[in-house]
Amino acid sequence: MINDLFINMLLLISFTFVGGHISREMPEKLKGKYFGKIILGIAGGVLGILMMVYAIQVIGTNTLLDLRSLAILMISSVGSFESTFITGLIIAIYRIGYYGVSQSSIFALAHICLYLIFFSIINRKIKTPWKNWFAKLAITVLILVTTFVYLLHDVENEYLIILNFSIVVICAGTLEYFLLKYAERSNQLYKIYKKDSTKDFLTGLNNTRQFDKLLNMSYERVIENDEKLSCLMVDIDHFKRVNDTYGHAIGDVVLKELAEILEKNSRVFDFVGRVGGEEFCILLLDCPSDRAFEIGTRIKNYVKEHRFPIGQNKYINITVSIGVATYPETVANIEELVEKADVGLYKAKRTGRDRVCDNLNCIE
């Protein structure tokens, strides 16, 4: 029997890893929406159907031995009640529609109803993951054993069949728990590594590598749509003095708060990145030069008035210098946009700091 149910176990393992891989790339917002719940429920239903296709039919009865109950258990543990209900509904429709109405199919339908009820109760009562899983597995085995004792009472070696099947369900259920934990941990690490590869570790802004990608994408968009593109280079004035006076921990606090200020005072569709120690860059999409100066000035004034905490209810003030460049108004070659913004930043530093400059004009 164990050999006969081996395909069921392979299906369970395959769906776990394929589902884990798909889930890895699925946005978190989508998972919680009805679309994500429906997709998860359908996937569980398809898994249950495949398991029935490769089920063992006990000789002389309409009883099927397979691991479809573990498909429902798995969906109830990784998804919502709605997903579990959809999985159970699909399995029930296929079981009755394909194999017909019989005593065994009625019991199979009753199984699904009991799973939905007990799994829902366990999800509310037991929050520890391993206790939750094995409580469901115990309920599953109890329901299956009770039913098969009744259905197979006229079958030769009924208790041996039930014992072997119970062992397979327990072993497969235990294996599936550890596979799910492995897939979950792998996905968590993947998301951490993916985030770290694109986000600055301290501020959460786009890092240099990601910002370069966004810059190239912006170049293509601007040329294709005949738009304007502005760039702000932002640098903290005398930041070394902050680190030397208050320590690098306070310097990190200043950098994080400044990052929040830059995001808050930029438009929601603009790109903000940390491109150096205390240097930041903002890409203003479809933004003319006068509007870029306006945004840069707003940021400069906001920073100047903001009180940065240094602990023990003490605060400091800082200023920033900002360089501006706009294609095609002040920069003829779009690939020189950041370079020209850097020239404006250098001019702002050289002419007294705490100002916004391009290669021609400055605003204090």
Side-chain angles (χ1 to χ4, degrees):
M1 178 180 293
I2 294 177
N3 292 336
D4 293 331
L5 291 173
F6 186 64
I7 295 179
N8 267 218
M9 296 180 68
L10 290 180
L11 287 170
L12 190 63
I13 293 170
S14 300
F15 265 70
T16 300
F17 281 103
V18 172
H21 185 77
I22 294 174
S23 175
R24 171 189 301 177
E25 302 295 342
M26 185 180 292
E28 291 297 327
K29 291 182 179 179
L30 185 60
K31 293 179 183 179
K33 294 185 178 294
Y34 280 109
F35 176 78
K37 295 176 181 179
I38 291 171
I39 292 298
L40 182 61
I42 292 174
V46 171
L47 174 59
I49 289 174
L50 290 174
M51 287 177 166
M52 281 187 280
V53 170
Y54 293 98
I56 302 169
Q57 185 164 355
V58 180
I59 298 174
T61 72
N62 290 320
T63 302
L64 302 178
L65 301 182
D66 55 61
L67 302 180
R68 84 189 84 126
S69 57
L70 294 184
I72 301 175
L73 195 163
M74 177 177 67
I75 297 301
S76 76
S77 296
V78 301
S80 62
F81 175 81
E82 292 88 347
S83 300
T84 310
F85 178 81
I86 293 171
T87 295
L89 181 63
I90 292 173
I91 292 174
I93 291 173
Y94 181 83
R95 177 65 174 88
I96 295 177
Y98 188 81
Y99 292 98
V101 177
S102 64
Q103 188 180 53
S104 294
S105 63
I106 297 300
F107 272 102
L109 182 60
H111 283 182
I112 294 172
C113 294
L114 290 173
Y115 294 149
L116 290 174
I117 294 170
F118 282 110
F119 291 175
S120 179
I121 293 172
I122 291 172
N123 281 339
R124 288 200 301 268
K125 298 293 185 181
I126 304 178
K127 300 302 180 182
T128 306
W130 73 268
K131 292 181 180 179
N132 181 289
W133 178 272
F134 286 102
K136 293 176 183 176
L137 183 59
I139 289 293
T140 300
V141 173
L142 180 62
I143 291 173
L144 290 172
V145 168
T146 304
T147 303
F148 289 148
V149 166
Y150 175 79
L151 290 176
L152 304 180
H153 65 277
D154 291 331
V155 176
E156 185 178 356
N157 297 322
E158 61 167 309
Y159 292 111
L160 182 60
I161 293 173
I162 294 171
L163 176 62
N164 288 336
F165 182 68
S166 300
I167 292 173
V168 171
V169 172
I170 292 171
C171 292
T174 302
L175 175 63
E176 177 63 12
Y177 170 77
F178 288 105
L179 290 177
L180 282 175
K181 297 303 292 183
Y182 173 80
E184 179 184 1
R185 181 57 179 163
S186 296
N187 286 356
Q188 289 174 347
L189 291 174
Y190 173 81
K191 290 177 181 178
I192 292 172
Y193 296 150
K194 186 176 181 179
K195 180 181 178 181
D196 289 346
S197 70
T198 61
K199 298 298 183 181
D200 175 62
F201 72 96
L202 178 63
T203 63
L205 299 178
N206 295 298
N207 61 18
T208 302
R209 180 191 305 173
Q210 180 67 8
F211 195 80
D212 286 342
K213 292 181 180 178
L214 296 172
L215 186 62
N216 291 327
M217 288 170 51
S218 300
Y219 288 167
E220 295 175 2
R221 168 182 165 171
V222 166
I223 294 174
E224 181 179 343
N225 299 326
D226 192 24
E227 295 177 348
K228 297 177 181 179
L229 178 65
S230 292
C231 176
L232 302 181
M233 292 294 295
V234 182
D235 189 85
I236 301 175
D237 297 327
H238 303 298
F239 185 66
K240 185 177 184 298
R241 188 182 301 169
V242 174
N243 280 331
D244 291 344
T245 305
Y246 302 104
H248 288 278
I250 298 300
D252 288 346
V253 171
V254 170
L255 290 172
K256 286 191 285 187
E257 289 224 4
L258 178 59
E260 294 177 4
I261 291 172
L262 296 181
E263 286 194 309
K264 181 178 180 180
N265 286 276
S266 301
R267 300 169 302 176
V268 292
F269 49 84
D270 294 329
F271 300 129
V272 186
R274 183 186 179 198
V275 295
E278 67 269 21
E279 196 169 69
F280 300 83
C281 190
I282 306 173
L283 284 180
L284 304 172
L285 304 178
D286 196 20
C287 180
S289 181
D290 57 346
R291 176 66 173 146
F293 263 97
E294 181 183 327
I295 294 173
T297 303
R298 184 173 70 229
I299 290 173
K300 176 186 73 71
N301 292 336
Y302 192 102
V303 171
K304 188 174 183 178
E305 296 172 3
H306 185 76
R307 302 171 69 206
F308 290 80
I310 60 174
Q312 298 178 343
N313 292 322
K314 295 181 180 179
Y315 301 86
I316 61 171
N317 292 96
I318 65 169
T319 60
V320 293
S321 297
I322 301 176
V324 183
T326 302
Y327 171 86
E329 294 181 34
T330 62
V331 179
N333 185 351
I334 193 170
E335 294 185 356
E336 296 179 356
L337 183 69
V338 175
E339 180 182 340
K340 294 299 183 182
D342 209 38
V343 171
L345 175 62
Y346 177 74
K347 183 177 180 180
K349 292 281 190 182
R350 183 167 47 85
T351 56
R353 295 182 169 85
D354 186 28
R355 60 195 64 204
V356 182
C357 298
D358 62 9
N359 58 340
L360 297 175
N361 305 304
C362 284
I363 297 178
E364 296 184 22

